[in-house]
Amino acid sequence: MTRTYNDVSARIRETIVEHMPKDAEITRIEFEGPRLAIYVKNVNLLSEQNYVVTEIVNLLHKRIVIRSDQSIRLPEREAEVYIRKLVPAEAEVTAINFDPSLGEVVVEAKKPGVAIGKEAAVLQQVVKETRWRPRILRAPPLHSKIIASTRHILHTESEERSRILRDVGERIFRPTFTKAGYVRLITLGAFHEVGRAAMLI
């Protein structure tokens, strides 16, 4: 019997709901590119019981990321104020950028280790207070207009990025068309060959 995408999707969702604590308050489950994104309202519970996610990963053999539901996140301006208070001044934060489509906040700091804190204590506090998922990056030594414009595009086009991620995710998690067979790969260029870099499958 041929499995459809809906069958695979339903099985994955049932497994997640079955093994997730009810107190986590799952709002939706999305296929975002190569990852399964689980949106919840009780992020703090899962940060305390992180073994739950590990168990689901072992069952499904998929990459899973926990995201906060958009309804519980602090507004960006308020969240930025909290983050600047929580991150030690010694970290020298240079920029804070929000990614609404992923529920992430990118914090650029000259000393990322200080911004993360001992045993990621600062990151956990940021999640608890703002409900945004922090990602710490080392600040570039020189200001770059390209990086700034890229951050701006990521923010303004967040809805379109979400749609693309879901479309790609559905293709990745669809059932396999065939279980056996061979694939021939011919390397062209950048493999000590003449011409542009390409792979012919």
Side-chain angles (χ1 to χ4, degrees):
M1 182 177 178
T2 304
R3 293 188 304 169
T4 65
Y5 167 76
N6 291 333
D7 295 334
V8 175
S9 173
R11 183 183 63 82
I12 290 174
R13 293 174 192 274
E14 287 173 5
T15 303
I16 291 173
V17 172
E18 182 182 344
H19 290 84
M20 285 281 282
K22 292 183 179 179
D23 294 340
E25 298 183 54
I26 299 175
T27 56
R28 59 194 173 103
I29 300 169
E30 299 285 358
F31 300 98
E32 295 181 351
R35 297 180 179 86
L36 273 170
I38 305 174
Y39 289 81
V40 299
K41 287 188 175 181
N42 193 345
V43 183
N44 296 331
L45 175 68
L46 293 177
S47 63
E48 296 168 0
Q49 302 180 14
N50 52 12
Y51 62 88
V52 174
V53 178
T54 304
E55 290 177 358
I56 298 174
V57 169
N58 293 334
L59 284 170
L60 297 176
H61 303 288
K62 309 288 184 187
R63 293 180 180 179
I64 292 178
V65 61
I66 303 296
R67 304 195 194 284
S68 60
D69 188 77
Q70 192 171 2
S71 62
I72 66 168
R73 298 175 200 155
L74 277 184
E76 293 181 12
R77 289 188 179 181
E78 291 183 31
E80 182 174 349
V81 172
Y82 267 103
I83 291 168
R84 291 192 181 277
K85 287 181 180 179
L86 293 171
V87 177
E90 294 80 9
E92 299 183 53
V93 174
T94 59
I96 297 176
N97 298 284
F98 292 86
D99 188 346
S101 63
L102 301 180
E104 291 184 349
V105 53
V106 179
V107 180
E108 293 184 4
K110 292 184 178 179
K111 298 177 181 178
V114 178
I116 293 171
K118 188 176 181 180
E119 296 182 355
V122 177
L123 297 187
Q124 293 174 11
Q125 194 66 21
V126 169
V127 173
K128 185 177 180 180
E129 296 291 339
T130 68
R131 310 298 192 276
W132 287 83
R133 188 165 175 261
R135 190 155 58 94
I136 308 297
L137 297 179
R138 184 179 297 278
L142 298 174
H143 176 71
S144 171
K145 290 183 179 179
I146 295 175
I147 293 177
S149 61
T150 302
R151 301 280 190 212
H152 177 71
I153 292 171
L154 289 175
H155 186 275
T156 55
E157 300 295 332
S158 62
E159 291 185 6
E160 180 65 12
R161 289 177 59 236
S162 295
R163 184 190 65 78
I164 293 171
L165 280 171
R166 287 194 297 270
D167 289 345
V168 173
E170 289 178 3
R171 294 183 181 185
I172 291 174
F173 289 98
R174 69 187 178 190
T176 53
F177 294 128
T178 177
K179 293 184 178 179
Y182 296 92
V183 175
R184 176 177 291 178
L185 177 66
I186 302 174
T187 57
L188 303 171
F191 298 92
H192 298 290
E193 300 287 343
V194 178
R196 299 292 297 274
M199 290 185 289
L200 180 63
I201 299 177

